[in-house]
Amino acid sequence: MSPEDLRRAIRAGDFRSPTSGYAEGALQGNLAILPNALAGDFLRYCQRNPKPCPVIGISEPGDPRIPALGRDLDIRTDIGAYRVFKADQEGFARVSDLEEVWRDDLVSFVLGCSFSFEAAILRAGIPLPHIARKQNVAMYITSIQTEPAGPFSGPMVVSMRAFKAADAIQAVLLSDRYRLAHGAPVHIGDPAQIGIADLMSPDFGEVPTLEPGDIPVFWACGVTPQMAIRAARPDLAITHEPGHMLVTDLSADAAEFSLGGARQSST
């Protein structure tokens, strides 16, 4: 499916799976929606933490569209699952659209996603078991702390993919070209060094497939803002359900080599 067809299928309720492996070649994005009063602080948080929070688009307050990221794109309906956080409630509510919670003061931030460089890894002949199994990638809360901005702070979340040694080196080099999709990994090897006790118990996503001799490789993840939002406790905040991304009309190549291409296309 094209990115536009995939968004329409999500909007119609016909597609509810994680988007890894779909709309190959399209730039995918994580979502964070906050009241306009906090948008400046959150933008500074993203600027101070570009590895987990590479900004590829920002909406106008109350506008569910970001035209530079896709025609016929509606933030309220075009992601398969959302998380809604409210300051007066513990945890979050999982919803399939935002029609009932949308407000005129909400600002949407779309952040680059590591799913965008997976096609390059696959083209190099390197297998990604979670895609072959149609599963979500494994994600973990780490002991790496992000740099605070205003009320936003917290630990970095990472996604993990495991490779044979030669494939790991190539995956690192390939991903480094996609700076708006988190770029190169933040850690390779022993998960305990970044506070992960058990790879078989991810905080988000699904249990990974590892074979003897595989090397775990960890990329900064756009789920990181969910930790910062919990720390800030705004009266309302919305994110994507991990693994369910906004698929844009931009080519993933817009995230390659430099920040220029996609940022010039952002609002």
Side-chain angles (χ1 to χ4, degrees), residues 168-212:
I169 294 170
Q170 194 168 4
V172 169
L173 294 174
L174 287 169
S175 64
D176 185 48
R177 296 162 55 181
Y178 292 83
R179 304 294 173 83
L180 282 181
H182 303 303
V186 296
H187 183 69
I188 300 172
D190 184 3
Q193 291 183 359
I194 56 172
I196 300 172
D198 183 2
L199 286 180
M200 295 297 106
S201 298
D203 296 293
F204 310 98
E206 298 184 63
V207 176
T209 300
L210 284 88
E211 298 180 356

Side-chain angles (χ1 to χ4, degrees), residues 31-159:
L31 180 67
I33 302 176
L34 291 157
N36 190 35
L38 289 172
D41 282 335
F42 186 74
L43 179 58
R44 287 192 298 115
Y45 178 78
C46 293
Q47 291 170 335
R48 292 177 180 180
N49 299 282
K51 287 290 282 186
C53 305
V55 178
I56 62 174
I58 306 173
S59 77
E60 292 296 325
D63 192 344
R65 303 167 301 155
I66 305 180
L69 297 186
R71 62 181 185 179
D72 192 28
L73 182 154
D74 192 324
I75 290 291
R76 299 169 298 184
T77 58
D78 293 359
I79 290 177
Y82 302 84
R83 289 183 169 187
V84 178
F85 299 83
K86 295 184 178 180
D88 60 353
Q89 298 176 5
E90 291 299 321
F92 58 86
R94 190 178 190 270
V95 300
S96 58
D97 66 66
L98 303 178
E99 301 284 2
E100 293 187 4
V101 298
W102 191 257
R103 298 188 334 202
D104 290 341
D105 69 329
L106 294 178
V107 177
S108 300
F109 292 82
V110 181
L111 313 175
C113 172
S114 59
F115 290 178
S116 300
F117 63 64
E118 289 180 332
I121 292 175
L122 290 172
R123 285 196 300 270
I126 301 171
L128 291 170
H130 68 282
I131 292 181
R133 295 172 180 266
K134 298 187 182 299
Q135 293 180 337
N136 201 354
V137 70
M139 292 163 271
Y140 307 83
I141 299 170
T142 72
S143 57
I144 303 170
Q145 292 299 308
T146 58
E147 185 175 348
F152 297 100
S153 64
M156 184 184 295
V157 176
V158 295
S159 61

